[in-house]
Amino acid sequence: MSCMETICARRSIRKFREQPVPRALTEEVIRAGTLAPSAKNRQPWQFVVAEGDAKEAAVRAMQDGLARERNEPFLPGSARHLADAENTLRIMRSCPVLIFAVNPLAPGFERPLSAEERVYDLCNAQSLGAALENMSLAACELGLGSLWICNTFFAQSELQSWLKTDGELLAALALGYADESPAARPRTEFSSVVEWRK
């Protein structure tokens, strides 16, 4: 497939087969992430791969976070998205591999950021976004399905405790063999998102 064909073929997969993913393929997906561009070449990423018992422990941390979020919300303005996060939990249970993307350079939530720290944080988040996109495209090209997960923020503290890393969890990627073939989702009309200037 050409690059554009892979981009067009990639889908967010929410149903996975029970078939295990060979470690070599998971490594190839992560390698693609590490080849992403990054601001000032900081490469602000660390990847934690969870399979088997480790994946079950991560899923329990997510479940605990969602239970806590109902009573003591970290994201009170996002309560309407909790049902979607419950669906994400189901997907996390069903996929054979979870890859957690951690920013080891993140300043954390403990204090307000200076303007300069905020810019660095945004640049690092963009860099990790590029890595996750590379990983999603590599998975597609390798015949795997993936789902980029941001609902981990509902269980940020619980997953951070499970990860036991100094970095800050940014997202997760569910990985496995797809058990569905979803159609492409509607996209905004190209002409409405582009402004040409001379």
Side-chain angles (χ1 to χ4, degrees):
M1 273 194 279
S2 72
C3 179
M4 200 63 182
E5 287 170 334
T6 303
I7 289 169
C8 292
R10 188 213 58 79
R11 297 287 181 273
S12 294
I13 299 300
R14 293 172 173 82
K15 293 181 183 172
F16 294 92
R17 291 187 230 152
E18 291 183 18
Q19 181 179 352
V21 177
R23 185 171 186 161
L25 293 186
T26 302
E27 288 176 349
E28 188 91 7
V29 167
I30 295 170
R31 191 168 292 112
T34 66
L35 295 173
S38 66
K40 306 292 185 279
N41 198 32
R42 281 192 294 268
Q43 302 176 52
W45 43 64
Q46 177 184 5
F47 301 102
V48 177
V49 182
E51 301 172 304
D53 291 343
K55 191 198 84 162
E56 293 311 311
V59 167
R60 278 194 304 276
M62 179 72 173
Q63 182 176 319
D64 291 347
L66 293 180
R68 188 248 329 121
E69 191 70 12
R70 283 186 213 91
N71 301 312
E72 301 169 34
F74 170 60
L75 302 170
S78 297
R80 68 188 183 280
H81 300 298
L82 271 173
D84 182 59
E86 292 285 351
N87 188 46
T88 298
L89 177 63
R90 179 196 60 76
I91 295 163
M92 291 171 75
R93 278 194 182 104
S94 72
C95 72
V97 179
L98 281 171
I99 303 171
F100 292 90
V102 175
N103 176 1
L105 306 179
F109 293 105
E110 293 80 34
R111 62 178 175 79
L113 302 181
S114 69
E116 193 164 24
E117 287 172 322
R118 177 74 174 131
V119 168
Y120 272 81
D121 199 40
L122 287 169
C123 291
N124 291 337
Q126 290 178 54
S127 301
L128 262 159
L132 285 159
E133 179 66 6
N134 273 14
M135 293 164 72
S136 296
L137 293 171
C140 178
E141 193 169 295
L142 292 167
L144 297 168
S146 68
L147 179 67
W148 184 335
I149 299 171
C150 289
N151 277 335
T152 52
F153 285 115
F154 284 109
Q156 189 75 10
S157 61
E158 290 80 6
L159 286 167
Q160 286 286 165
S161 294
W162 172 79
L163 283 164
K164 295 181 176 69
T165 65
D166 291 333
E168 185 176 272
L169 174 63
L170 189 85
L173 190 75
L175 189 68
Y177 290 96
D179 198 22
E180 64 175 347
S181 298
R185 296 183 76 176
R187 297 291 166 181
T188 305
E189 181 63 38
F190 182 76
S191 62
S192 70
V193 297
V194 179
E195 179 182 341
W196 299 93
R197 295 184 179 186
K198 291 186 182 181

